[in-house]
Amino acid sequence: MIKKCLFPVAGYGTRFLPATKSMPKEMLPIVNKPLVQYGVEEAIEANLCEIALVTGRGKRAIADHFDTAYELEHQIAGTSKEKYLSSIRNVLDKGTFAMTRQREMKGLGHAILTGEVLIGNEPFGVILSDDLCINDGGEGVMAQMVRLFRQFRCSIVAVQEVPADQIEKYGVIAGESLKDGLYRVDNMVEKPKADEAPSNLAIIGRYILTPDIFDILRDTQPGKNGEIQITDALLTQAREGCVMAYKFQGRRFDCGSVDGFVEATNFVYENIYQPE
Ligand code: UTP
């Protein structure tokens, strides 16, 4: 029913300069695997096997990562080193990969609209791979959201409770609680001051969107920082129809910030990483 997952990976990653001067932020490794591969594995686990990447200038390494590295693979074929390729080969066996480029970085909403050409008129997942989500031993966050989508058939955003001193980094929702962890959204504010935030529920980088979002995005004016905000488009969608917010099971690491990146690295090294 949902087959496609969109990965906006065009951003500049300025918080990781100079590392991201010529290397995409999404290729930074958490232990031995690039961030974007964790995201793609989460999508495939949810049966979203058609991967749509919105890339930009300087992001070719991402396209190459999801392709055969012919010379390298030929070189290590049949040796003890071949096992190190097993996780990426598994991804390549199960997924297909399509790319388009965002030519100007006009925000996440604009990046999603740029992906319309790859998505068409069907509901789709969105994963921001710099938000690493891990539900150790349980169902991945996107799979949890797909299950909810089957029931409600409307856009769904993943939310997390965050402390007041961090709330101004996020889009924040307000809504009616339908059952434990599930809300029907009636308001959303992008990056509010702590005393203006409508709740402590912050939107993180997992969405399921219905395709009417593209027409809404086309009509959405640039908001905070002159960027087209997905939050503004989602608020319109919530007012005209329905948007759900879902407090997911699992942990999320903000790997777009240095602190979150280091925290994720330690967590994965101690709890997930298995030396081959
Ligand atoms: P961020 O704002 O976290 O990423 O956007 P950034 O701009 O790369 O990071 P900083 O702030 O400069 O350090 C969230 C996600 O949306 C994508 C980014 O690649 C990231 O995955 N994005 C953002 C786009 O694809 N295009 C944009 O115009 C903006």
Side-chain angles (χ1 to χ4, degrees), residues 8-16 25-26 54 59 102 104-108 111 128-130 227 256:
V9 292
Y12 290 127
T14 48
R15 284 168 289 172
F16 273 89
K25 169 171 78 169
E26 298 76 10
V54 177
K59 301 276 184 171
Q102 186 186 16
E104 293 173 284
M105 302 319 138
K106 292 200 231 161
L108 178 58
L128 306 187
S129 47
D130 43 6
E227 295 184 336

Side-chain angles (χ1 to χ4, degrees), residues 90-155:
N90 185 39
V91 162
L92 295 179
D93 284 347
K94 293 186 176 148
T96 62
F97 297 84
M99 273 139 242
T100 191
R101 278 195 183 204
Q102 186 186 16
R103 287 166 54 216
E104 293 173 284
M105 302 319 138
K106 292 200 231 161
L108 178 58
H110 181 259
I112 291 174
L113 183 56
T114 303
E116 182 181 19
V117 66
L118 302 176
I119 300 293
N121 187 26
E122 53 187 279
F124 60 104
V126 177
I127 289 183
L128 306 187
S129 47
D130 43 6
D131 268 344
L132 176 63
C133 289
I134 295 176
N135 189 19
D136 200 5
E139 196 180 30
V141 175
M142 188 49 75
Q144 296 169 35
M145 293 172 74
V146 167
R147 211 157 26 80
L148 278 176
F149 180 79
R150 285 202 193 104
Q151 201 180 341
F152 293 100
R153 312 251 162 191
C154 66
S155 290

Side-chain angles (χ1 to χ4, degrees), residues 47-201:
N47 265 322
L48 311 189
C49 297
E50 295 181 32
I51 307 299
L53 296 154
V54 177
T55 71
R57 286 181 299 283
K59 301 276 184 171
R60 275 197 196 149
I62 298 175
D64 287 342
H65 187 70
F66 295 109
D67 195 355
T68 303
Y70 190 78
E71 200 177 312
L72 165 80
E73 297 192 34
H74 177 73
Q75 194 76 32
I76 65 173
T79 75
S80 61
K81 292 182 177 158
E82 201 171 4
K83 59 180 182 281
Y84 297 119
L85 287 170
S86 60
S87 75
I88 185 64
R89 281 185 173 163
N90 185 39
V91 162
L92 295 179
D93 284 347
K94 293 186 176 148
T96 62
F97 297 84
M99 273 139 242
T100 191
R101 278 195 183 204
Q102 186 186 16
R103 287 166 54 216
E104 293 173 284
M105 302 319 138
K106 292 200 231 161
L108 178 58
H110 181 259
I112 291 174
L113 183 56
T114 303
E116 182 181 19
V117 66
L118 302 176
I119 300 293
N121 187 26
E122 53 187 279
F124 60 104
V126 177
I127 289 183
L128 306 187
S129 47
D130 43 6
D131 268 344
L132 176 63
C133 289
I134 295 176
N135 189 19
D136 200 5
E139 196 180 30
V141 175
M142 188 49 75
Q144 296 169 35
M145 293 172 74
V146 167
R147 211 157 26 80
L148 278 176
F149 180 79
R150 285 202 193 104
Q151 201 180 341
F152 293 100
R153 312 251 162 191
C154 66
S155 290
I156 305 171
V157 298
V159 292
Q160 175 183 29
E161 287 179 5
V162 302
D165 63 343
Q166 311 228 347
I167 203 87
E168 67 181 352
K169 295 196 286 187
Y170 296 91
V172 181
I173 68 121
E176 174 200 354
S177 172
L178 297 181
K179 56 180 178 180
D180 201 25
L182 192 67
Y183 305 82
R184 191 186 166 118
V185 173
D186 52 38
N187 196 11
M188 281 186 188
V189 187
E190 182 62 25
K191 300 190 171 60
K193 299 229 158 33
D195 55 357
E196 287 163 17
S199 75
N200 65 346
L201 293 172

